[in-house]
Amino acid sequence: MVNSAAAAPLRIACQLILGLLGLTLAIVGVYGVVSYAASQRIHKIGIRMALGTGPCTVLRMLLRSGVSLLLFGVSLGCVLALAVGWPMRSLLFGIHPADR
């Protein structure tokens, strides 16, 4: 049996790697959604720029839509995580469903 004090650095390293993997997947997912939303609006962006809208205004419009999608996704994910976590209390041993 491995001493828990000796395994602590390995456990922390594994948690860090999995956390970074999750963060990378989230960033790639958000980039994909924003890129898809922008590609769907390419004609609208072209018409706006032809009528004199500056690049900063177009960028602000795209960022606003991306941030709104991001906030919606994060809020929905938090609500669903709590909604699924509470009924699973009996399956979780030693941790609280809302642990971070």
Side-chain angles (χ1 to χ4, degrees):
M1 180 149 180
V2 178
N3 185 2
S4 63
L10 180 62
R11 181 177 177 199
I12 291 172
C14 288
Q15 287 176 343
L16 181 65
I17 290 171
L18 286 175
L20 289 174
L21 180 65
L23 181 64
T24 303
L25 286 173
I27 289 172
V28 168
V30 168
Y31 172 76
V33 168
V34 171
S35 174
Y36 178 75
S39 70
Q40 293 295 311
R41 297 168 60 172
I42 196 77
H43 297 292
K44 180 179 178 181
I45 293 168
I47 291 170
R48 283 181 181 254
M49 291 193 75
L51 293 174
T53 303
C56 291
T57 307
V58 171
L59 182 62
R60 192 176 320 123
M61 178 183 66
L62 291 174
L63 286 177
R64 188 179 314 130
S65 68
V67 168
S68 66
L69 285 172
L70 177 71
L71 291 176
F72 175 73
V74 167
S75 61
L76 183 67
C78 289
V79 168
L80 288 176
L82 288 175
V84 169
W86 286 108
M88 291 182 61
R89 280 189 305 242
S90 62
L91 301 175
L92 302 173
F93 179 74
I95 60 171
H96 192 268
D99 277 349
R100 293 169 199 72

